[in-house]
Amino acid sequence: MSLTPLPTTLVLEHHDSYTRNLLATFSQIVDSPPNGARWDSEGWKQRVVIVNVDTISWDQFVLDILPHVACVILGPGPGSPHKTSDFSWPARLIEEFGDSLPIFGLCLGHQGLATTFGASVIKAAAPRHGQITHVRHSQDPLFAGIPTPYDAVQYNSLTVDSSSLPDELEAIAWATNKGKKEILGLKHRAKPLWGVQYHPESIASTYGATLLSNFLSLALTHYQTSPRPIDLALPLPSSVLSHTTSYMREVPNPIPDLSEGSSSVRWEQRSVELGAGQGRTPREMFEGFVKGADPLGEIWLDSARPTGAAQFTHLLNPQATWTHTRPSNTILVRSASSSNYSLRLEAPHTFITTLATAQATLHRRTRIADINRPSVPIGFVGYLGYEMKEVSMPLCKSPTAAKEEERSDSEFAIASLVLTYSHEEGSWVATGLVRVGGDVEEDEEMVKDLGVGEEEWEAWLTQVRSFLATERTFDASLAPAGPVAVTGLVPDLNRDEYMAAIEHARESIIAGDAYELCMTTQFRTTIPSSLADDPYSLYLSLRAANPAPYSYYFRLPLSNLALLSSSPERFMRIDKDRHAEMKPIKGTVRRSDDPAEDQRRKEALEADEKERAENLMIVDLSRNDLLGFCSVESVQVPRLMVVESYQTVHQLVTSVVGTLTPVVNPFEAVGRAFPPGSMTGAPKLRSLKLLEDLEGHRPRGVYSGVFGFVAVDGTTDFSVVIRTLVIKGNELTLGAGGAITHLSDAAKEWEEVLVKTEAVLGNGKR
């Protein structure tokens, strides 16, 4: 049997956060064709493109794109097809080309198909967001090879009114919602038009690849008698593929010559084994060698909670710091060795692209002496604050941005000298970025002074060795942390205000404007100057009360900033081989001191329909994010909704993985997935806009952003900034929140906020 090329397909994206997952579904049908179909897997990525509907005009579509596509998928999205702001020119597409162009509508696209022919869309009996539905169908060819009923995931609050369905449309699938039969599938009786009211691309939907394969087969059948001129053998031209919302280019960057003596080498990353150092602990080393050693600051990337894998603690003083102020788009560069200066970035350059360029330059011109050694955060260590959403997703600009010129939204420290402790081996390693010569190129101005010279490297090694050789006077790991109480915390939104905002959030979800919304508030208090100037004792108290995988102490005195974190949630990790992992957490319950009750709470969390729906929504969103910069086949979900237990809480955790395409820089990957979906909700863009109003246009600041590092070798590890005390001047803030769905109970959601704040402050169990 000969292989059939996929019909060239345009997927129109309506600012949803799941549409790119269709690429994974396309991948499934070419790798394992369902129903005995023989799809040609060669070059399929040049035959499918996802384009945001608002990036092209109607005329541009008709003139430049339509002649090259054999079929169209109208993707899902928030809102209602009755609003042209939500469903714009695709309605005209159905009207003018629906008789000659096969079209498949998903959710909003399905509803738009119905309204174009005069049907009405109304509120469903109950919203279905992240919930699995039992779909029954009429044995229409669209469902060939799919049993009835079968399971699919819905993300919708609205449904097509069956009483308004015109004769030319036929219902072909249904489900029961609160005892009411609702339409889940439609087709036109005479035109090549179909639609379904669910998400076949969801990780928890079944037969999604079969459904998509059936549509493509029906499209090819249509062209057997269609007079529309199109060459089904030709792929999409580059002019059409250039509109993609995903990175599907896979041309590797040239590999530079970094061999010994190469003129391309400007830096060398060196590591020296230091041994156990008299048994010095990370805390001893931080207190005796790092803390207070440099006016630019001190950083302890902690490993407060062993997880069974090899764990590392990293200690450093910054060589320089880069502070970004938005929306003025300036970077303040501070350095101990030279004068400070401010750099204004001109569009299209942003802080994220500037960081990406700097890291790429270091990567390109640095020889790593021992590539087999575990990675060390030599490079950039810091945070992207939540308001950097206006850079990563510029359509979400807040109306108050003009008033926030002086607020710093991101800060990174440059790490040129790092001490690393291996908990597994009980030994220390010193690592440095050493300048070894080489010409400075024109575009390397910002990084030309980074790294240390030979003399400074040797002097630092001597100091480290001397400290490690000094006889220990005490064991800091055994010394009491000394509890430091944080009192007087007042929330931005009190209980009644927060609960009222939750009800408004539920109204938006029921109206179809979002699937879930991550509502937050922040608790604030003023602390004494003595504690603000040196909050280290507070960090020791925090790490003792609530140890977590992403504990860190990040203090930049010149910025009057300190971050004291016990975050359990990974945002994104990228290893040296460019394998990325996102690890969303949704679903939290307090632990109990009683083992039987603790186990009951754990099992209840694992089975909770609301919590699983919340988690699934962010899992599908994370897959969509990774598909923006990872190769399609690499995006997988190896662990789906597994309960992980921490000292104070149980949490529902999923792991989503992928591999970066060769053209993507790690900073760019972080930026394209920012802000964390677990802190926004879905769809992401609409959620950001709604949350601005719900939270009273108060900036979240560092909270809800990400903290971590991108190393010279590309290794990247960022956590979500939660369970974190933020100290700015004399103000201490602690943020907390939770995902709101239509099932949310406002009182319980407020209780969850308190659970999370108490976990940080050491009152987690009861």
Side-chain angles (χ1 to χ4, degrees), residues 189-441:
R189 296 183 188 273
K191 299 179 180 182
L193 307 173
W194 297 266
V196 293
Q197 183 63 76
Y198 54 87
H199 283 244
E201 80 285 358
S202 171
I203 192 66
S205 284
T206 60
Y207 297 99
T210 304
L211 187 77
L212 181 57
S213 180
N214 289 342
F215 166 67
L216 297 176
S217 296
L218 289 168
L220 291 182
T221 300
H222 163 77
Y223 282 106
Q224 292 174 2
T225 58
S226 171
R228 179 173 179 255
I230 184 169
D231 189 339
L232 294 172
L234 291 178
L236 293 168
S238 58
S239 60
V240 175
L241 292 171
S242 66
H243 293 286
T244 181
T245 67
S246 296
Y247 271 100
M248 297 179 68
R249 297 168 290 146
E250 297 186 356
V251 179
N253 296 321
I255 300 174
D257 175 18
L258 296 182
S259 58
E260 191 75 35
S262 167
S263 61
S264 297
V265 175
R266 178 165 170 74
W267 295 274
E268 183 175 73
Q269 182 172 316
R270 302 174 186 172
S271 294
V272 176
E273 298 277 356
L274 299 173
Q278 305 286 329
R280 298 272 185 195
T281 64
R283 178 177 164 185
E284 279 183 276
M285 202 69 189
F286 181 78
E287 292 179 0
F289 192 79
V290 175
K291 186 175 183 295
D294 193 301
L296 287 178
E298 58 229 17
I299 301 170
W300 178 359
L301 303 183
D302 205 349
S303 184
R305 175 183 178 267
T307 62
Q311 293 291 297
F312 301 94
T313 289
H314 306 288
L315 308 176
L316 65 112
N317 297 112
Q319 180 188 15
T321 61
W322 292 3
T323 302
H324 180 247
T325 301
R326 182 211 50 83
S328 61
N329 206 19
T330 58
I331 302 175
L332 173 62
V333 178
R334 294 187 178 100
S335 173
S337 60
S338 60
S339 59
N340 303 335
Y341 66 92
S342 183
L343 174 67
R344 185 175 183 87
L345 303 177
E346 300 296 337
H349 300 295
T350 68
F351 188 50
I352 293 172
T353 63
T354 301
L355 288 166
T357 300
Q359 189 278 333
T361 299
L362 290 172
H363 191 188
R364 177 171 53 87
R365 302 199 64 190
T366 298
R367 180 176 57 243
I368 298 178
D370 185 355
I371 61 174
N372 296 317
R373 185 181 296 277
S375 290
V376 173
I378 289 287
F380 302 85
V381 182
Y383 72 91
L384 296 175
Y386 178 75
E387 274 63 46
M388 287 296 287
K389 63 189 173 69
E390 297 183 12
V391 175
S392 62
M393 303 187 74
L395 290 177
C396 72
K397 284 190 179 298
S398 65
T400 56
K403 303 176 183 178
E404 300 166 358
E405 289 283 345
E406 299 306 315
R407 194 179 69 234
S408 299
D409 287 311
S410 298
E411 297 191 71
F412 277 83
I414 313 303
S416 293
L417 298 169
V418 176
L419 285 170
T420 299
Y421 181 75
S422 169
H423 291 261
E424 188 175 54
E425 299 178 0
S427 63
W428 289 93
V429 175
T431 304
L433 183 67
V434 184
R435 294 189 295 271
V436 293
D439 297 332
V440 178
E441 297 179 3

Side-chain angles (χ1 to χ4, degrees), residues 456-475:
E456 187 176 352
W457 164 244
E458 292 296 337
W460 181 72
L461 278 178
T462 299
Q463 293 172 347
V464 174
R465 288 182 172 126
S466 175
F467 183 82
L468 288 173
T470 303
E471 184 177 351
R472 300 174 69 195
T473 57
F474 73 105
D475 183 350

Side-chain angles (χ1 to χ4, degrees), residues 705-724:
V706 298
F707 176 92
F709 66 85
V710 178
V712 168
D713 65 5
T715 303
T716 301
D717 206 355
F718 280 87
S719 62
V720 180
V721 182
I722 56 175
R723 318 288 201 278
T724 299

Side-chain angles (χ1 to χ4, degrees), residues 18 128-130 153-157 199 202 515 616-617 620:
Y18 302 144
R128 303 282 295 173
H129 292 140
V153 175
Q154 287 186 256
Y155 291 111
N156 65 283
S157 298
H199 283 244
S202 171
Y515 311 145
L616 179 59
M617 282 188 262
D620 280 337

Side-chain angles (χ1 to χ4, degrees), residues 538-602:
L538 185 56
Y539 176 66
L540 292 180
S541 180
L542 172 66
R543 78 188 293 266
N546 192 41
Y550 286 98
S551 296
Y552 56 83
Y553 180 79
F554 180 80
R555 181 168 176 261
L556 303 181
L558 299 183
S559 296
N560 292 316
L561 174 76
L563 308 181
L564 288 57
S565 182
S566 59
S567 174
E569 182 172 356
R570 169 175 290 159
F571 172 58
M572 186 186 300
R573 182 179 183 274
I574 304 170
D575 65 20
K576 286 187 290 188
D577 296 319
R578 300 173 64 80
H579 301 312
E581 181 190 36
M582 300 183 77
K583 200 173 178 183
I585 293 177
K586 276 298 163 198
T588 303
V589 295
R590 194 194 314 268
R591 298 200 65 177
S592 172
D593 290 322
D594 176 58
E597 172 61 17
D598 193 56
Q599 182 64 23
R600 187 199 67 78
R601 293 182 184 183
K602 178 180 179 181

Side-chain angles (χ1 to χ4, degrees), residues 8-10 46-51 56 60-61 63-69 235-245:
T8 50
T9 306
L10 169 69
Q46 282 68 52
R47 306 185 70 83
V48 179
V49 65
I50 298 178
V51 177
I56 54 175
Q60 191 177 9
F61 166 74
L63 295 174
D64 300 335
I65 297 178
L66 180 60
H68 305 288
V69 298
L236 293 168
S238 58
S239 60
V240 175
L241 292 171
S242 66
H243 293 286
T244 181
T245 67

